[in-house]
Amino acid sequence: MLPRGRPRALGAAALLLLLFLIGFFLFGGDLDYGRPQPRGAAALDGDLPAGYGGHNSSDCDPPRPRPRPPKCELLQVAIVCAGHNSSRDIITLVKSMLFYRKNPLHLHLVTDAVARNILETLFHTWMVPAVWVSFYNADELKAGALALLHSSPAMPSPLLPPKVPQVSWIPNKHYSGLYGLMKLVLPGVLPPDLVRVIVLDTDVTFASNIAELWALFAYFSDKQVIGLVENQSDWYFGNLWRNHRPWPALGRGFNTGVILLRLDRLRQAGWEQMWKMTATRELLTLPATSLADQDIFNAVIKEHPWLVQPLPCVWNVQLSDHTLAERCYSEASDLKVIHWNSPKKLRVKNKHVESFRNLYLTFLEYDGNLLRRELFGCPCPLPPGAEQLQRALAQLDEEDACFEFRQQQLTVHRVHITFLPHKPPPSQPHDVTLVAQLSMDRLQMLEALCRHWPGPMSLALYLTDAEAQQFLRFVETSAVLSARQDVAYHLVYREGPFYPINQLRNVALAQALTPYVFLSDIDFLPAYSLYNYLRASIEQLELDGGRKAALVVPAFETLHYRFSFPTSKAELLALLDAGSLHTFRYHEWPRGHAPTDYARWREAQEPYRVQWAADYEPYVVVPRDCPRYDSRFVGFGWNKVAHIMELDAQEYELLVLPEAFIIHLPHAPSLDISRFRSSPTYRDCLQALKDEFHQDLSRSYGAAALKYLTALQQPRGPI
């Protein structure tokens, strides 16, 4: 959901002004507007001139009108994407497309399992109108099988019959690996009724409406099947270094970062047999491809030059290590697509790179929520769930004092799971994942947490698009964090006035991969031995036999920013007796943890059972399939209490572990707790949410929930 309001509108206006200024200085403005243009200049600026592609023309020919696709024509775009890093890259590409587009889009994504998992979740939660996404299994394509993984219900595509467009037999030196060869097989992979498609690399950025690129299909002759921009380096001349042996190419060759494909004609021409025969022949004298699919495309075009329709250079401005792109952008007034085709990406050496980088960073850090724009005048089905969401929002009373709370409950946040590379741990029957959530102001806790907890973690971070990049740099520059591949970071993008704490917990909980989870908070440090102790306790208590239990980890706190962390229970008790540690929130809200019975814990040698009591909110270890947190609770107050109440309603035993402990570290109060303390309306709304939660609990559990009603009628504090 995208709340409307003046601040967001002002932010969008400011961004539009920024993009205009970047375009003016980066692309030189259109200072030559109205002046005579040299012959062929249109090819630089994005339009094909009359006669381009072999048609007869003269200087007296009137200029052709610029072609435009019908207003609501569905544009088809195919992209190959594999792994965590490419999944981040594709988002920036899609943002740039969405910013300028005025047509519906259908994205055909050829992905590995990692990218599919990430992008399915992202597009499902992004809920962009008039965008459909289909997924195709790249891993099966490598070996020869073909499968359409998923197609949007609004745009169904048929499951295609098995084919064998293998690429795994082709040796490839390019850093993209076998995925860099996937574009060769697209005519056999995409639905057979698909006629035209734009194919893009993940490292391109749009600076214009993609419909203008689609319109260039109109210039294809009857024989042309592939639209490409000339390669903007001397790579295919073979003179970049001694013994440089490139694949054959027509002249300077063509770059395949942006491709227009006439799929119908390629299929009729026997494209699969054509490129395979060419590749087989060239591999008799060349050891491997150096530029992946691009080498093979160029070898085919060298042999069959009538297949290609050259495109204006502005549709693929290539910033490679040996680029000659300045010849294009120094003359053109309006660049269309920037291509970061160097392995160094944004760190490529180029005297104008800072200007290009600013354009890229504009979209990298742009608030993706602002792209949930309707295409007015184009009737399109709403994204799944959007219609129900709109109805629910329409039923809210804006005069209700708790309107913002109820609106936040209905907000669908964009979610980017496994934002950084992640290697799941080997499956173990008693393994435990630490689950927590945080925002930017708690980022400094991560390194200490990694030192204390050597096991897997699933962490949800509540960030803006710009903060996501700060987080990325923070992890990359931290020796501790960058060394951990078993920590999964899931980004939930900020939207709305309150911190959606339980939605964040649910995201992190849903992505945990071990049988058990430790439900913690980011400002607690676990005992150094806790990870191994929990696994041993789960095995000892035989929880994998179906016993429903929540293992309670006693919580303590220190008010000192510097203190010596205890390495054992004995050391903790000594610090407790000395006044350096306290039971958690003993001075503010003791009833939140009183049922743990700290006096008994001091002497305990074995796990012991405790009873639920009103406002109890311990930190627990439970099976991964435990009840989810109630997402109506946002900001401060009752978010854990409600969860423990539901565990009790489902008859989980509460077992306190005698050697386990966590310690809360001091920090500045959050914005939401400050609101709670200062605003009577905030507290009244929280009470209303509590009452509604109990009514729902009674409907779910009947008479068994009566004890909670009795407890709620007693005088209580905030949590």
Side-chain angles (χ1 to χ4, degrees), residues 393-674:
L393 288 169
Q395 292 173 1
L396 297 182
D397 179 6
E398 294 192 24
E399 301 303 320
D400 180 1
C402 301
F403 171 76
E404 286 189 330
F405 281 86
R406 304 192 188 283
Q407 186 185 52
Q408 186 82 55
Q409 286 178 241
L410 296 173
T411 299
V412 177
H413 294 274
R414 280 182 300 138
V415 178
H416 185 148
I417 60 175
T418 53
F419 185 71
L420 297 177
H422 173 244
K423 294 181 180 177
S427 178
Q428 300 179 32
H430 309 115
D431 209 359
V432 183
T433 295
L434 187 149
V435 170
Q437 39 69 40
L438 67 150
S439 54
M440 198 69 180
D441 59 345
R442 298 288 188 268
L443 208 57
Q444 73 279 4
M445 297 294 300
L446 289 177
E447 288 188 346
L449 182 59
C450 282
R451 293 188 180 99
H452 280 250
W453 181 270
M457 288 188 271
S458 181
L459 306 176
L461 296 92
Y462 193 51
L463 305 174
T464 65
D465 292 74
E467 287 174 341
Q469 301 310 310
Q470 297 175 39
F471 163 69
L472 176 61
R473 291 190 290 271
F474 179 79
V475 173
E476 289 176 342
T477 56
S478 167
V480 174
L481 301 181
S482 60
R484 292 290 297 270
Q485 295 289 300
D486 58 350
V487 180
Y489 301 101
H490 316 293
L491 268 56
V492 178
Y493 287 99
R494 284 182 58 180
E495 186 172 7
F498 300 112
Y499 185 74
I501 185 167
N502 278 358
Q503 292 186 40
L504 295 171
R505 285 170 169 153
N506 285 339
V507 168
L509 180 54
Q511 298 304 318
L513 302 176
T514 56
Y516 298 90
V517 289
F518 173 35
L519 305 178
S520 185
D521 277 338
I522 197 64
D523 42 11
F524 281 88
L525 288 182
Y528 288 106
S529 60
L530 184 61
Y531 173 60
N532 290 328
Y533 175 65
L534 291 179
R535 293 189 298 169
S537 298
I538 291 169
E539 183 175 12
Q540 178 186 0
L541 294 168
E542 299 181 343
L543 298 188
D544 52 356
R547 182 180 182 184
K548 293 179 69 173
L551 307 182
V552 175
V553 178
F556 299 83
E557 68 177 345
T558 178
L559 304 180
H560 303 287
Y561 282 90
R562 291 187 178 183
F563 85 111
S564 178
F565 198 94
T567 60
S568 65
K569 179 177 179 178
E571 287 187 18
L572 181 139
L573 291 175
L575 291 171
L576 195 64
D577 293 338
S580 297
L581 286 180
H582 310 277
T583 57
F584 184 52
R585 303 199 71 186
Y586 76 101
H587 59 303
E588 291 181 344
W589 186 237
R591 64 188 297 163
H593 292 265
T596 298
D597 194 350
Y598 287 95
R600 182 177 178 183
W601 183 80
R602 293 179 70 105
E603 308 297 331
Q605 301 295 320
E606 299 291 336
Y608 58 92
R609 185 172 182 175
V610 296
Q611 298 299 316
W612 174 87
D615 300 312
Y616 191 30
E617 54 171 0
Y619 293 92
V620 296
V621 177
V622 288
R624 181 179 58 191
D625 61 355
C626 68
R628 288 334 189 221
Y629 288 87
D630 193 298
S631 60
R632 85 185 76 199
F633 294 105
V634 296
F636 177 79
W638 240 60
N639 42 73
K640 290 199 309 297
V641 172
H643 189 245
I644 296 300
M645 189 180 293
E646 186 141 11
L647 289 177
D648 183 70
Q650 293 195 13
E651 299 181 340
Y652 277 74
E653 297 179 76
L654 295 170
L655 299 175
V656 181
L657 297 177
E659 299 294 328
F661 62 86
I662 53 176
I663 299 177
H664 179 266
L665 301 184
H667 56 74
S670 67
L671 176 61
D672 284 305
I673 196 172
S674 299

